Amino acid sequence: MEPKKDYHMTPEAFRLYGRALVDWIADYYERVEDLPVLSRVKPGEIRERLPKDPPEQGEPFEKIMKDLDEVILPGITHWQSPNFFAYFPANASGPSILGELLSAGLGVQGMLWSTSPACTELETHVLDWMADMLALPRKFRSDGAGGGVIQDTASSASLCALLSARERITGYRTNERGCDGRLTAYVSTQTHSSVEKAVKIAGMGREQLRAVAVDETFAMDPKALGEAIGRDRDAGLVPCFVCATVGTTSSNALDPLREIGRICRDEGLWLHVDGAMSGTAALCPEFRHILDGLELADSFCFNPHKWMFTNFDCDCFYVADREVLIRTLSILPEYLKNKATESGAVIDYRDWHVPLGRRFRALKLWFVIRHYGVEGLRYHIRRHVAMAREFAGWVEAAEDFELAAPVPLNLVCFRHLAGDEFNRMLLDRLNESGSLFLTHTTLDDRFVLRLCVAQTRTEERHVEEAWRLIRETARELAAEEK
Ligand SMILES: *Cc1c(COP(=O)(O)O)cnc(C)c1O
């Protein structure tokens, strides 16, 4: 179809190509498990296949679609493959993709309630749903003093939590005069690096961040936390923020929220709880113990874009006292003033995160929850955990492998007994095979393989095949070494 004179895509052409693209995605999902999971291109290879200059004249959509297959797809690492066991997942699903498409179609910029009331109100409502679905303490709901907001990522949520902590403890003076270098923040040695980044962005200084020791399960040691806070107070510093993690990225360790929370309450520190992947498990009553003590926290976040079938980006961030967050981030230039805001009867989410503009992300989350229902979401979370535990059982039963950390949920950290170098070679060979994708970490200074079961379409047979391949490849390697 030729573009019309005004260069726009006509509604008819949009229908035609829109359907073709949806078909392409559906076909992709049908074949994705047969594609090599990890992209095999070399650095620069994709750019080499792209024309040096942009097209002067518009091109037919068919030509763009052709390049999708020939140029782009080889450079894709297939995060949506059921054989993707690396990092933590970034999973998607039919309803979330359609919600995303609709968000693009409406093209709403929801910075203020008045710039699209549905964008704000659906978000508030769905985040209250989510709070109930995870059985979060009531204070995180919007009908109390708190409330939830969708952020792009857990990194942004941590930053907003840290900024709020900084302002609360300084009586909002840091916003006016800058940091005096006395504020300190606390994480564990296993906390995600995004908190260190937040400390840098917030101007608190990386030297003011304390990495507290962990116990043998890699969970934060509350006693060590209390001691670190005491030392800083003695030195005339101002302890202000603790980040506890529910499901650390390295090994899925669960920090003891209740004990950490008591310390924060007694010492007047802001407690942020990062449940980026594992928070989703609280959908199931039998896993809710992971959030035990959350009522002592000031903020909490988890990522439906990791383990709740909602495509990137979607982080749910909750605060117990929204006034602190809003006072920390609020700005009101003349050109944004409006009656609804002045009435005080509405939420303006631009004051709840770093950017001004915001997408209609609640749509995809709403689609996912309505499509699966709480029951459907629980079903998949339970299956993932069951598969991971079964895999852990196989590792334990094998004479040449061992578990490297407890398996509270859906991440298995394990290693071959033949040492770091062997495990490194094993990982490379497995990933080169294209049949699966695993990543590694170090625990107690040892090289460890990680297998995370959380991809939307991962089934028993994929996990069984992964274990078969891991064992067979290890045997081959061991034979070659002799
Ligand atoms: C993945 C992860 C993050 C960072 O996630 P983003 O949403 O990409 O910022 C933070 N914390 C934990 C525990 C994670 O697993």
Side-chain angles (χ1 to χ4, degrees), residues 230-253:
R231 270 197 303 277
D232 285 333
R233 282 211 200 285
D234 291 345
L237 299 173
V238 183
C240 129
F241 174 85
V242 176
C243 177
T245 308
V246 171
T248 58
T249 319
S250 199
S251 74
N252 226 350

mmCIF file of all heavy atoms in Angstrom, residues 230-253:
data_model
loop_
_atom_site.group_PDB
_atom_site.id
_atom_site.type_symbol
_atom_site.label_atom_id
_atom_site.label_comp_id
_atom_site.label_asym_id
_atom_site.label_seq_id
_atom_site.Cartn_x
_atom_site.Cartn_y
_atom_site.Cartn_z
ATOM 1 N N GLY A 230 24.605 2.759 65.235
ATOM 2 C CA GLY A 230 25.178 3.292 66.476
ATOM 3 C C GLY A 230 26.536 3.948 66.248
ATOM 4 O O GLY A 230 26.803 5.049 66.750
ATOM 5 N N ARG A 231 27.385 3.286 65.475
ATOM 6 C CA ARG A 231 28.717 3.847 65.183
ATOM 7 C C ARG A 231 28.596 5.201 64.495
ATOM 8 O O ARG A 231 29.317 6.144 64.808
ATOM 9 C CB ARG A 231 29.492 2.886 64.269
ATOM 10 C CG ARG A 231 30.324 1.848 65.009
ATOM 11 C CD ARG A 231 31.368 1.215 64.079
ATOM 12 N NE ARG A 231 30.783 0.607 62.885
ATOM 13 C CZ ARG A 231 30.252 -0.627 62.856
ATOM 14 N NH1 ARG A 231 30.248 -1.373 63.936
ATOM 15 N NH2 ARG A 231 29.743 -1.107 61.733
ATOM 16 N N ASP A 232 27.657 5.278 63.538
ATOM 17 C CA ASP A 232 27.511 6.544 62.806
ATOM 18 C C ASP A 232 26.986 7.660 63.713
ATOM 19 O O ASP A 232 27.436 8.794 63.625
ATOM 20 C CB ASP A 232 26.597 6.352 61.591
ATOM 21 C CG ASP A 232 27.319 5.602 60.464
ATOM 22 O OD1 ASP A 232 28.564 5.701 60.405
ATOM 23 O OD2 ASP A 232 26.653 4.925 59.666
ATOM 24 N N ARG A 233 26.040 7.311 64.581
ATOM 25 C CA ARG A 233 25.540 8.330 65.518
ATOM 26 C C ARG A 233 26.679 8.833 66.414
ATOM 27 O O ARG A 233 26.807 10.039 66.641
ATOM 28 C CB ARG A 233 24.442 7.744 66.412
ATOM 29 C CG ARG A 233 23.117 7.648 65.714
ATOM 30 C CD ARG A 233 21.950 7.814 66.689
ATOM 31 N NE ARG A 233 20.728 7.261 66.109
ATOM 32 C CZ ARG A 233 20.014 7.842 65.157
ATOM 33 N NH1 ARG A 233 20.382 9.002 64.662
ATOM 34 N NH2 ARG A 233 18.928 7.265 64.689
ATOM 35 N N ASP A 234 27.487 7.885 66.884
ATOM 36 C CA ASP A 234 28.610 8.280 67.741
ATOM 37 C C ASP A 234 29.565 9.221 67.010
ATOM 38 O O ASP A 234 30.208 10.063 67.621
ATOM 39 C CB ASP A 234 29.395 7.038 68.208
ATOM 40 C CG ASP A 234 28.554 6.207 69.190
ATOM 41 O OD1 ASP A 234 27.538 6.740 69.691
ATOM 42 O OD2 ASP A 234 28.901 5.025 69.429
ATOM 43 N N ALA A 235 29.644 9.044 65.704
ATOM 44 C CA ALA A 235 30.561 9.878 64.914
ATOM 45 C C ALA A 235 29.911 11.204 64.514
ATOM 46 O O ALA A 235 30.456 11.956 63.715
ATOM 47 C CB ALA A 235 31.026 9.113 63.675
ATOM 48 N N GLY A 236 28.702 11.446 65.018
ATOM 49 C CA GLY A 236 28.043 12.721 64.716
ATOM 50 C C GLY A 236 27.322 12.743 63.377
ATOM 51 O O GLY A 236 26.949 13.812 62.885
ATOM 52 N N LEU A 237 27.112 11.570 62.788
ATOM 53 C CA LEU A 237 26.406 11.506 61.502
ATOM 54 C C LEU A 237 24.907 11.338 61.740
ATOM 55 O O LEU A 237 24.468 11.117 62.877
ATOM 56 C CB LEU A 237 26.965 10.351 60.662
ATOM 57 C CG LEU A 237 28.465 10.494 60.329
ATOM 58 C CD1 LEU A 237 28.996 9.236 59.656
ATOM 59 C CD2 LEU A 237 28.699 11.724 59.442
ATOM 60 N N VAL A 238 24.113 11.416 60.648
ATOM 61 C CA VAL A 238 22.655 11.346 60.762
ATOM 62 C C VAL A 238 22.105 10.173 59.941
ATOM 63 O O VAL A 238 21.844 10.308 58.753
ATOM 64 C CB VAL A 238 22.006 12.677 60.285
ATOM 65 C CG1 VAL A 238 20.488 12.624 60.464
ATOM 66 C CG2 VAL A 238 22.607 13.864 61.022
ATOM 67 N N PRO A 239 21.932 9.010 60.585
ATOM 68 C CA PRO A 239 21.374 7.848 59.874
ATOM 69 C C PRO A 239 19.959 8.155 59.399
ATOM 70 O O PRO A 239 19.163 8.738 60.154
ATOM 71 C CB PRO A 239 21.364 6.754 60.943
ATOM 72 C CG PRO A 239 22.431 7.159 61.906
ATOM 73 C CD PRO A 239 22.347 8.659 61.953
ATOM 74 N N CYS A 240 19.662 7.790 58.150
ATOM 75 C CA CYS A 240 18.396 8.266 57.593
ATOM 76 C C CYS A 240 17.604 7.221 56.827
ATOM 77 O O CYS A 240 16.380 7.288 56.789
ATOM 78 C CB CYS A 240 18.732 9.498 56.760
ATOM 79 S SG CYS A 240 18.176 9.636 55.116
ATOM 80 N N PHE A 241 18.249 6.205 56.264
ATOM 81 C CA PHE A 241 17.528 5.335 55.320
ATOM 82 C C PHE A 241 18.087 3.922 55.343
ATOM 83 O O PHE A 241 19.303 3.727 55.368
ATOM 84 C CB PHE A 241 17.701 5.927 53.908
ATOM 85 C CG PHE A 241 17.142 5.102 52.775
ATOM 86 C CD1 PHE A 241 15.801 5.197 52.425
ATOM 87 C CD2 PHE A 241 17.965 4.254 52.032
ATOM 88 C CE1 PHE A 241 15.277 4.464 51.355
ATOM 89 C CE2 PHE A 241 17.455 3.514 50.968
ATOM 90 C CZ PHE A 241 16.106 3.621 50.637
ATOM 91 N N VAL A 242 17.170 2.939 55.351
ATOM 92 C CA VAL A 242 17.573 1.532 55.219
ATOM 93 C C VAL A 242 16.795 0.920 54.070
ATOM 94 O O VAL A 242 15.590 1.145 53.945
ATOM 95 C CB VAL A 242 17.261 0.730 56.508
ATOM 96 C CG1 VAL A 242 17.593 -0.752 56.321
ATOM 97 C CG2 VAL A 242 18.017 1.299 57.703
ATOM 98 N N CYS A 243 17.478 0.165 53.224
ATOM 99 C CA CYS A 243 16.771 -0.611 52.201
ATOM 100 C C CYS A 243 16.913 -2.091 52.542
ATOM 101 O O CYS A 243 18.030 -2.611 52.623
ATOM 102 C CB CYS A 243 17.328 -0.352 50.805
ATOM 103 S SG CYS A 243 16.526 -1.379 49.549
ATOM 104 N N ALA A 244 15.781 -2.742 52.796
ATOM 105 C CA ALA A 244 15.767 -4.193 53.000
ATOM 106 C C ALA A 244 15.234 -4.833 51.723
ATOM 107 O O ALA A 244 14.444 -4.220 51.003
ATOM 108 C CB ALA A 244 14.872 -4.543 54.181
ATOM 109 N N THR A 245 15.674 -6.056 51.457
ATOM 110 C CA THR A 245 15.278 -6.710 50.217
ATOM 111 C C THR A 245 14.511 -7.989 50.487
ATOM 112 O O THR A 245 14.898 -8.788 51.338
ATOM 113 C CB THR A 245 16.526 -7.039 49.367
ATOM 114 O OG1 THR A 245 17.309 -5.855 49.233
ATOM 115 C CG2 THR A 245 16.134 -7.542 47.989
ATOM 116 N N VAL A 246 13.429 -8.161 49.744
ATOM 117 C CA VAL A 246 12.683 -9.415 49.780
ATOM 118 C C VAL A 246 13.002 -10.126 48.469
ATOM 119 O O VAL A 246 12.436 -9.815 47.432
ATOM 120 C CB VAL A 246 11.168 -9.133 49.915
ATOM 121 C CG1 VAL A 246 10.378 -10.407 49.730
ATOM 122 C CG2 VAL A 246 10.866 -8.516 51.266
ATOM 123 N N GLY A 247 13.978 -11.029 48.536
ATOM 124 C CA GLY A 247 14.406 -11.727 47.329
ATOM 125 C C GLY A 247 15.546 -10.998 46.642
ATOM 126 O O GLY A 247 15.345 -10.338 45.622
ATOM 127 N N THR A 248 16.765 -11.108 47.202
ATOM 128 C CA THR A 248 17.902 -10.411 46.594
ATOM 129 C C THR A 248 18.175 -10.953 45.199
ATOM 130 O O THR A 248 17.871 -12.111 44.890
ATOM 131 C CB THR A 248 19.177 -10.564 47.441
ATOM 132 O OG1 THR A 248 19.459 -11.966 47.579
ATOM 133 C CG2 THR A 248 19.011 -9.937 48.816
ATOM 134 N N THR A 249 18.763 -10.114 44.379
ATOM 135 C CA THR A 249 18.979 -10.464 42.978
ATOM 136 C C THR A 249 19.984 -11.606 42.841
ATOM 137 O O THR A 249 19.833 -12.486 41.997
ATOM 138 C CB THR A 249 19.491 -9.230 42.225
ATOM 139 O OG1 THR A 249 18.759 -8.092 42.675
ATOM 140 C CG2 THR A 249 19.289 -9.388 40.733
ATOM 141 N N SER A 250 20.984 -11.585 43.675
ATOM 142 C CA SER A 250 22.018 -12.595 43.575
ATOM 143 C C SER A 250 21.481 -13.983 43.938
ATOM 144 O O SER A 250 21.633 -14.937 43.176
ATOM 145 C CB SER A 250 23.165 -12.205 44.502
ATOM 146 O OG SER A 250 24.334 -12.861 44.149
ATOM 147 N N SER A 251 20.820 -14.092 45.111
ATOM 148 C CA SER A 251 20.465 -15.436 45.590
ATOM 149 C C SER A 251 19.048 -15.569 46.127
ATOM 150 O O SER A 251 18.689 -16.609 46.654
ATOM 151 C CB SER A 251 21.438 -15.853 46.708
ATOM 152 O OG SER A 251 21.131 -15.140 47.894
ATOM 153 N N ASN A 252 18.214 -14.506 45.981
ATOM 154 C CA ASN A 252 16.826 -14.555 46.475
ATOM 155 C C ASN A 252 16.737 -14.568 48.011
ATOM 156 O O ASN A 252 15.738 -15.026 48.571
ATOM 157 C CB ASN A 252 16.092 -15.777 45.917
ATOM 158 C CG ASN A 252 14.696 -15.433 45.391
ATOM 159 O OD1 ASN A 252 14.199 -14.334 45.599
ATOM 160 N ND2 ASN A 252 14.074 -16.363 44.713
ATOM 161 N N ALA A 253 17.753 -14.043 48.677
ATOM 162 C CA ALA A 253 17.720 -14.007 50.139
ATOM 163 C C ALA A 253 16.616 -13.067 50.620
ATOM 164 O O ALA A 253 16.287 -12.082 49.968
ATOM 165 C CB ALA A 253 19.071 -13.523 50.679
#
